[in-house]
Amino acid sequence: MPALKSILLAALASTGLVAADGLNSRAKAAGKKYFGTEVSGQVLNDGSANAIAKNAEDFGQYTCENEMKFDATEPSRGTFSYGNADKIVAQAQANGQLMRCHALVWHSQVPSWVTNGRFDNATLISIMKNHIANVVGHYKGKCYAWDVVNEALNEDGSYRNSGSVWGSTIGPAFIPIAFAAAAAADPAAKLYYNDYNCDRPGAKSTGAQNLIKMVKAYGAPIHGMGLQGHLTTGQVGSASQYVSNMQAFANLGVDVAFTELDIATPSSSPNFGQQATDYATIVSACKQVSACVGITTWGFTDKYTWISNSAPLIWNTNLQKKPAYDAILNAWGSSSGGGTPTTTTSAPAATSSAPSGGCTAAHWAQCGGQGYTGCKTCEAPYKCTYGNDWYSQCL
């Protein structure tokens, strides 16, 4: 019966007879931009898993797992490869999901032609800038945000040199140079610094705040701090520490997002009840900070997780929802002002008026919805078609 009920609710939602519901719908109803997930080629090739990923009520945003990293996009100097990432971007666009694009400059997953090239400072800067110009340029207008620099700090908050071809050759200046290059390639994209162990107050979080100040001091744009959030069940603690930490970043004039959230519990003896509580804690913290724009989980099913011998995600290996799913829904609050989906007599009409710029949205693109401020007129012959209160699409 529960499965039948879900099917009926989904069918009714598609006709506008009930309000849409899901992790992303709840997040947006709470005033956030999205609830999203990392998506890999493995997921795209698994029909059952991909059906979950395609559900925009649960996931309003995608991040590629490895498909946009340096070794994947520029395997040899000046030769760029986008095919695998393009498939993920195309699916997101078809379903009206945002892309958080990841990651341009990182000390890991750098091809050997870079790490073993023994390039001098000026040459390596040129290589980095060329890479950013090409990759960001290829996806210009398709990435809501970019993780421009990833994991450039040591645990004590100092800049990483050991093991980083960028830090050891160029020094910390590579960071603002990268942000400036990304801004030049796509001025409309939100540009983030992304790192782990920065989600609670401490030396590394303070180092990340200093990094943001440094980028700004160089005159380069930086718009957000990505908190990876690779956490462990039972060690999450209270929401207040996450709130105060996020607010410290917000006070610097940047957005904050959980970008790679997973909460590990041993698959041999899992504690899914505590895991659910811990997911709810993170959601509650984000909900309390206006600058926290959204949460991305690093995958959604334990079937495809990077953490060995763990069950850190919201669906199990059999693609069934775990207690964390309902805990997240409840932590966001109601999707429509009440505790359950509400019945409406008719779907709101999709607006046909365009913004002052007179722009038009392409086929499959979003054209309306609660809080949406983009193009509201579709290019011919497509019509702005109501999907739910938060999303209308050019069909």
Side-chain angles (χ1 to χ4, degrees):
M1 288 299 292
L4 177 60
K5 181 179 178 182
S6 297
I7 293 170
L8 290 172
L9 285 174
L12 287 170
S14 68
T15 65
L17 295 178
V18 297
D21 199 14
L23 305 176
N24 181 55
S25 298
R26 295 283 183 106
K28 295 183 78 171
K32 302 307 175 182
K33 195 170 185 68
Y34 59 81
F35 188 96
T37 181
E38 166 261 298
V39 175
S40 66
Q42 284 182 302
V43 170
L44 260 60
N45 293 328
D46 182 332
S48 297
N50 201 29
I52 297 172
K54 286 180 178 180
N55 181 9
E57 307 306 336
D58 278 327
F59 302 120
Q61 170 267 314
Y62 285 176
T63 298
C64 292
E65 183 179 29
N66 295 307
E67 291 80 1
M68 287 187 179
K69 291 172 182 172
F70 206 125
D71 59 351
T73 52
E74 193 179 359
S76 59
R77 189 172 182 178
T79 301
F80 293 87
S81 176
Y82 300 113
N84 291 330
D86 283 352
K87 293 175 184 177
I88 295 171
V89 173
Q91 179 165 297
Q93 288 188 304
N95 294 315
Q97 293 155 312
L98 298 171
M99 284 298 308
R100 282 198 82 262
C101 295
H102 170 88
L104 293 169
V105 186
W106 185 27
H107 66 274
S108 186
Q109 292 185 236
V110 183
S112 59
W113 70 264
V114 176
T115 55
N116 298 334
R118 297 183 179 180
F119 299 110
D120 61 21
N121 181 300
T123 304
L124 193 60
I125 289 174
S126 176
I127 288 169
M128 182 182 72
K129 291 171 70 174
N130 183 64
H131 178 81
I132 292 170
N134 277 275
V135 177
V136 177
H138 178 80
Y139 292 108
K140 184 177 181 180
K142 297 179 180 180
C143 295
Y144 153 71
W146 270 103
D147 289 331
V148 178
V149 175
N150 195 50
E151 301 176 7
L153 296 175
N154 296 311
E155 291 304 298
D156 64 359
S158 62
Y159 292 105
R160 183 194 298 267
N161 288 327
S162 178
S164 170
V165 66
W166 315 108
S168 61
T169 305
I170 304 171
F174 86 85
I175 299 169
I177 293 171
F179 275 90
D186 189 352
K190 297 285 188 180
L191 307 181
Y192 276 68
Y193 174 67
N194 192 57
D195 212 333
Y196 60 92
N197 289 348
C198 293
D199 43 89
R200 287 189 269 194
K204 195 170 187 182
S205 182
T206 299
Q209 292 160 33
N210 290 334
L211 182 151
I212 291 169
K213 294 174 185 177
M214 182 266 287
V215 172
K216 290 189 171 190
Y218 269 76
I222 182 168
H223 307 115
M225 175 65 199
L227 307 171
Q228 291 187 13
H230 298 299
L231 308 176
T232 301
T233 296
Q235 298 180 16
V236 169
S238 66
S240 60
Q241 60 192 326
Y242 298 95
V243 170
S244 63
N245 190 62
M246 284 188 282
Q247 195 57 55
F249 286 102
N251 291 342
L252 300 177
V254 297
D255 290 339
V256 185
F258 277 90
T259 55
E260 304 182 20
L261 180 63
D262 46 35
I263 305 181
T265 186
S267 54
S268 57
S269 57
N271 187 343
F272 292 141
Q274 184 61 51
Q275 184 183 62
T277 297
D278 292 340
Y279 267 107
T281 295
I282 299 302
V283 170
S284 173
C286 179
K287 186 177 177 181
Q288 293 177 58
V289 179
S290 59
C292 183
V293 298
I295 294 173
T296 306
T297 55
W298 204 242
F300 57 88
T301 170
D302 296 335
K303 187 176 182 179
Y304 301 113
T305 176
W306 69 291
I307 308 176
S308 301
N309 302 315
S310 182
L313 296 169
I314 304 168
W315 277 257
N316 65 20
T317 55
N318 295 320
L319 303 178
Q320 300 299 308
K321 294 173 182 174
K322 292 157 63 176
Y325 184 92
D326 286 334
I328 294 170
L329 286 182
N330 293 334
W332 282 129
S334 170
S335 63
S336 56
T340 58
T342 57
T343 301
T344 59
T345 56
S346 61
T351 179
S352 60
S353 60
S356 57
C359 63
T360 57
H363 188 206
W364 304 114
Q366 184 175 3
C367 55
Q370 201 172 83
Y372 175 74
T373 59
C375 302
K376 297 180 179 179
T377 298
C378 298
E379 64 182 13
Y382 306 108
K383 304 295 183 183
C384 193
T385 303
Y386 174 83
N388 56 60
D389 289 348
W390 298 275
Y391 190 76
S392 296
Q393 187 176 17
C394 290
L395 299 172

